[in-house]
């Protein structure tokens, strides 16, 4: 069985192909929109995705050494994400499903991140940190669904860091040679400055930290602020994670999403894991950011469990939460 997956929730249009036997991932091709300045405008994302879609699709089929006729299902990330970007992926997926008479499979973007994490790290029963530009979630699987222990109350960790470096003219691009520019900037820091640290139970708030850091640019060197905002944000995450570890007594911590690539976060997690006799499992960098392979693989699991959707019901869900998704394949 082979499934083609389409990812278009934010800045990346990706196409992946997965099959139900090793090596599982046959193709993972993507193109990421990087604005020349400022943030991402939904209309620009939609135009980018619509423009690159045919080429990315063709390259994925070529990389997988297969044809569309050999595909059993078309999986698409219907949410969460930015509406105009989501619509492009949905339109492409519907068109393929209709033209080639393939089953259409709805995939939650976050579930895609998590399932590619399970596949690539061999985690069995982990506490999961899902960290990306749009999501900061502490979760684990229990009785048919991923249950959320803690999450951001406002903006996500990745988005907070991106906005800060953009506002102080360090980005775009946000990642250089595999490192986020906030980490590169922090390497030149000399002092830790006082910034907000907000943890409420197991939830975190990053908006006040961002506002205070931007105000601090009038008084402190940028490297000191980069270092301080990163340290506070990561320590807030670790405090909430430690509470979830104490509650669940998990022996694995699996980290997925774009922020999983942070080396500085990894060093903090290693210390936390040592204290709790747990093992850190981090998704490989080629699958940490948004990609079509994770949608294809999650779609494969869903299809094998009989989950498909009629074309007329395949509406996008910009605020689709992971704890709203039934996961029968893990029962």
């Amino acid at each position: 069985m082979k499934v083609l997956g389409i990812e278009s929730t934010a800045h990346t249009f990706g196409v992946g192909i997965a099959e139900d036997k090793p090596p599982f991932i046959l193709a993972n091709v993507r193109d990421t929109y990087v604005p020349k300045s400022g943030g991402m405008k939904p209309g620009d994302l939609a135009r980018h995705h619509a423009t690159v879609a045919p080429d990315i699709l063709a390259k994925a089929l070529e990389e997988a050494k297969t044809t569309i006729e050999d595909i059993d299902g078309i999986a698409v990330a219907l949410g969460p994400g930015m509406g105009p970007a989501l619509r492009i992926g949905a339109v492409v997926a519907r068109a393929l499903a209709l033209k080639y008479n393939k089953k259409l499979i709805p995939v939650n973007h976050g579930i895609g991140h998590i399932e590619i994490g399970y596949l690539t790290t061999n985690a069995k029963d982990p506490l999961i940190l899902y960290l990306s530009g749009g999501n900061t979630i502490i979760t684990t699987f229990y009785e048919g669904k991923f249950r959320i222990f803690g999450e951001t109350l406002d903006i996500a960790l990745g988005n907070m860091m991106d906005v800060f470096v953009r506002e102080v003219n360090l980005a775009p691009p946000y990642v250089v040679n595999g490192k986020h520019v906030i980490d590169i900037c922090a390497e030149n820091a000399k002092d830790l400055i006082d910034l907000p640290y907000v943890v409420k139970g197991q939830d975190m708030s990053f908006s006040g930290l961002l506002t205070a850091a931007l105000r601090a640019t009038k008084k402190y060197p940028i490297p000191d602020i980069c270092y301080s905002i990163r340290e506070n944000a990561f320590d807030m995450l670790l405090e909430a994670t430690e509470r979830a570890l104490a509650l669940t007594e998990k022996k694995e911590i699996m980290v997925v999403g774009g922020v999983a690539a942070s080396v500085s976060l990894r060093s903090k997690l290693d210390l936390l894991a040592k204290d709790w006799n747990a093992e850190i499992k981090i998704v490989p960098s080629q699958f940490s950011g948004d990609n079509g392979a994770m949608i294809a693989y999650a779609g494969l699991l869903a299809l094998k469990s009989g989950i498909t959707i009629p074309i007329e019901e395949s509406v996008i869900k910009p605020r689709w939460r992971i704890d709203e998704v039934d996961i029968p394949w893990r029962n």
Side-chain angles (χ1 to χ4, degrees), residues 295-312:
I295 305 303
Y297 183 67
L300 177 67
L301 297 174
L303 182 59
K304 289 172 72 69
S305 295
I307 297 174
T308 60
I309 191 171
I311 297 290
E312 60 272 18

Side-chain angles (χ1 to χ4, degrees), residues 30 41 121 266:
R30 57 189 156 185
K41 297 178 181 178
T121 68
R266 171 63 187 261

Side-chain angles (χ1 to χ4, degrees), residues 128-269:
I128 303 162
L129 304 186
Y130 169 26
L131 313 173
S132 67
N135 298 274
T136 301
I137 293 173
I138 302 169
T139 183
T140 195
F141 180 78
Y142 180 73
E143 292 190 352
K145 289 187 177 181
F146 287 100
R147 313 291 176 166
I148 295 177
F149 289 101
E151 59 187 320
T152 177
L153 296 172
D154 36 58
I155 60 175
L157 173 59
N159 186 34
M160 184 272 294
M161 294 193 300
D162 285 353
V163 171
F164 176 76
V165 295
R166 183 175 72 236
E167 291 298 314
V168 297
N169 298 316
L170 292 176
Y174 299 92
V175 178
V176 178
N177 297 325
K179 295 179 69 174
H180 195 281
V181 292
I182 204 167
D183 287 320
I184 297 172
C185 174
E187 292 173 357
N188 297 314
K190 295 181 180 179
D191 294 302
L192 182 71
I193 67 172
D194 185 28
L195 290 175
Y197 180 102
V198 185
V199 178
K200 299 180 178 181
Q202 285 183 199
D203 294 327
M204 299 141 281
S205 173
F206 296 108
S207 61
L209 174 59
L210 173 61
T211 300
L214 291 172
R215 287 176 178 167
T217 58
K218 299 176 182 179
K219 184 177 180 181
Y220 299 99
I222 296 297
D224 288 353
I225 304 173
C226 285
Y227 174 66
S228 302
I229 194 174
R230 184 195 71 187
E231 292 299 294
N232 271 28
F234 286 173
D235 286 352
M236 287 160 56
L237 174 66
L238 259 67
E239 179 181 334
T241 300
E242 186 165 24
R243 288 187 176 140
L245 274 179
L247 177 65
T248 63
E249 298 183 341
K250 299 293 185 184
K251 294 303 177 184
E252 297 173 305
I253 303 172
M254 183 174 77
V255 190
V256 301
V259 184
S262 172
V263 175
S264 54
L265 176 60
R266 171 63 187 261
S267 64
K268 288 178 176 289
L269 287 171

